Amino acid sequence: IKKHKGDVEKVYYCTHSKEEACSCRKPKPAMFNLAKKELEIEDMSDKFYVGDAARDVEAGKNAGLKTILVLSGNSKKEEIKNWEIKPDYVCKDLLEAVDIVVGA
């Protein structure tokens, strides 16, 4: 990332188990809301969330982000038509997703 003049300001992750039913575990938006507050982001609608599963797409949508599904093995393109919440973009790999984000 740094090699291409990018930067990671902060990393967020939930350590709770599914059974704990916390508010920060995907697809709930609490972790995104925390990032929005800490990073002083006013509008999330021009931001992207990249993931490889239906719950990633749902989490991004719940937080008001544009979503990119990367077909890295967790999800198959044929499955998307059955999902209640669809991604904004579908990419074969992370490099293709980067092209979308950088081109936005």
Side-chain angles (χ1 to χ4, degrees), residues 11-97:
V11 175
Y12 295 85
Y13 58 93
C14 171
T15 59
H16 302 107
S17 69
K18 186 177 182 178
E19 293 73 33
E20 291 178 83
C22 67
S23 63
C24 57
R25 187 173 169 89
K26 295 182 295 186
K28 296 176 185 171
M31 194 72 61
F32 296 95
N33 294 336
L34 177 62
K36 182 179 177 182
K37 179 181 176 188
E38 288 183 355
L39 300 173
E40 299 177 351
I41 299 170
E42 287 190 34
D43 182 16
M44 298 284 268
S45 66
D46 64 341
K47 309 295 184 231
F48 291 86
Y49 186 62
V50 180
D52 63 356
R55 79 180 193 145
D56 294 323
V57 173
E58 185 177 352
K61 292 289 187 177
N62 286 342
L65 299 157
K66 294 178 186 175
T67 58
I68 301 176
L69 176 71
V70 177
L71 300 172
S72 61
N74 266 343
S75 300
K76 303 210 180 316
K77 195 169 188 174
E78 311 82 57
E79 298 172 347
I80 300 168
K81 65 181 177 220
N82 298 320
W83 293 0
E84 185 176 327
I85 299 171
K86 311 265 192 290
D88 295 298
Y89 302 91
V90 178
C91 298
K92 66 179 179 194
D93 56 30
L94 192 54
L95 183 58
E96 193 174 296

